[in-house]
Amino acid sequence: MTFSLPNLPYAHDALAPYMSKETLEFHHDKHHLAYVNNGNNLLKGSEWEGKSLEEIVRGSYGKNAALFNNAGQHYNHSQFWKWMKPNGGGKIPGALEKALIDSFGSVDKAKEDFIQAGATQFGSGWGWLAVVDGKIVANKAPNGESPLVHNGKPILGVDVWEHSYYIDYRNRRPDYLKAFVDHLVNWEYVAELYHAAAG
Ligand code: MN3
C-alpha cells in the first residue's frame, strides 16, 4: 500500500475555539502531508512495501528509524483527526465508561491520568489511552511512537508536539490537554476502538 492523506472528517474551522482553523491548516494540510510524502518515498523498495500501515509501523520500529518516524506519525495522525469532533468531550458510552471506572477507579481519574501523561511527555510525543492485557492504561511515548509498538492497542491519543497547540495555546500545554478532553474527544470512536481491542 501507499500512504495517502485522509480528509478531515469535519471542516477546518469546526473545532474552534478549542483548535483553530489555522492550527488544522498547518497540522493536517502541511505536517501530516509531509509524513505521507516522506513515508511513501522511504517505503519504496523497502521490505515493507505492500504491507498494511500497522505492519509497517510495527515492523520498522527499531529497524528503520526514518520510515518508522513517518509511518508512525501517519498512523497517529490518521487516528487523531477521528479522535476529535465538534462539540466533543461529552457523554462517554456506557460500556467504555464502565471499563474506565474498572481500570482507573473513576472517569475523572482516567481523564486526569491521560492529561498527566500528555503534560509530562518531555519534548515531542503523544499521550495515550491503550488496552493492555484487557485493562485500559494511560501512558506517553516520544515522537511517533504509540502503544502499537509497546504491546498495547491504542484507543485514544493526543498529539503534544508543539505544532499541535502552539498557535492556540502558546506554551500552555496543560490547557490544551484539558480543552481536548473537555471539548474535543469523540468518545463514540474511542468506544469503537475499545470494543475492537478488548474483543
Ligand atoms: Mn502532529
Side-chain angles (χ1 to χ4, degrees):
M1 71 174 280
T2 53
F3 302 155
S4 61
L5 183 68
N7 288 326
L8 284 180
Y10 32 73
H12 285 78
D13 61 1
L15 301 183
Y18 306 107
M19 186 175 284
S20 67
K21 178 170 184 258
E22 189 183 3
T23 289
L24 285 169
E25 283 170 350
F26 276 92
H27 198 179
H28 173 271
D29 304 2
K30 296 181 192 294
H31 287 274
H32 190 173
L33 180 63
Y35 300 130
V36 166
N37 290 339
N38 293 335
N40 281 332
N41 287 334
L42 292 159
L43 202 50
K44 242 174 258 165
S46 80
E47 64 184 284
W48 294 284
E49 209 172 352
K51 303 275 198 213
S52 76
L53 177 56
E54 287 193 23
E55 287 173 318
I56 296 164
V57 170
R58 286 206 185 90
S60 62
Y61 181 63
K63 288 188 185 159
N64 181 332
L67 177 59
F68 171 77
N69 287 338
N70 287 283
Q73 286 289 69
H74 176 46
Y75 172 85
N76 293 352
H77 287 81
S78 295
Q79 295 279 33
F80 185 54
W81 315 127
K82 296 193 276 186
W83 278 320
M84 300 185 286
K85 67 171 191 179
N87 302 310
K91 193 169 160 34
I92 299 176
L96 174 61
E97 184 179 49
K98 185 179 178 304
L100 288 168
I101 294 168
D102 287 347
S103 297
F104 292 91
S106 70
V107 168
D108 283 349
K109 183 72 164 73
K111 290 177 174 175
E112 188 188 314
D113 286 4
F114 176 72
I115 288 173
Q116 182 67 7
T120 56
Q121 166 57 39
F122 186 77
S124 296
W126 293 71
W128 296 101
L129 288 182
V131 175
V132 180
D133 300 328
K135 291 207 91 171
I136 304 175
V137 300
N139 52 35
K140 58 194 169 187
N143 303 317
E145 290 181 21
S146 74
L148 270 191
V149 297
H150 296 291
N151 301 313
K153 292 182 177 166
I155 61 170
L156 178 64
V158 61
D159 190 342
V160 298
W161 288 54
E162 287 183 349
H163 64 228
S164 193
Y165 62 90
Y166 228 80
I167 290 170
D168 300 320
Y169 299 88
R170 297 303 169 186
N171 61 328
R172 295 176 289 113
R173 190 194 285 185
D175 290 355
Y176 156 64
L177 290 166
K178 190 171 185 331
F180 179 85
V181 168
D182 289 347
H183 301 288
L184 294 176
V185 175
N186 181 347
W187 287 112
E188 288 75 25
Y189 184 56
V190 178
E192 207 177 288
L193 295 176
Y194 169 72
H195 292 302

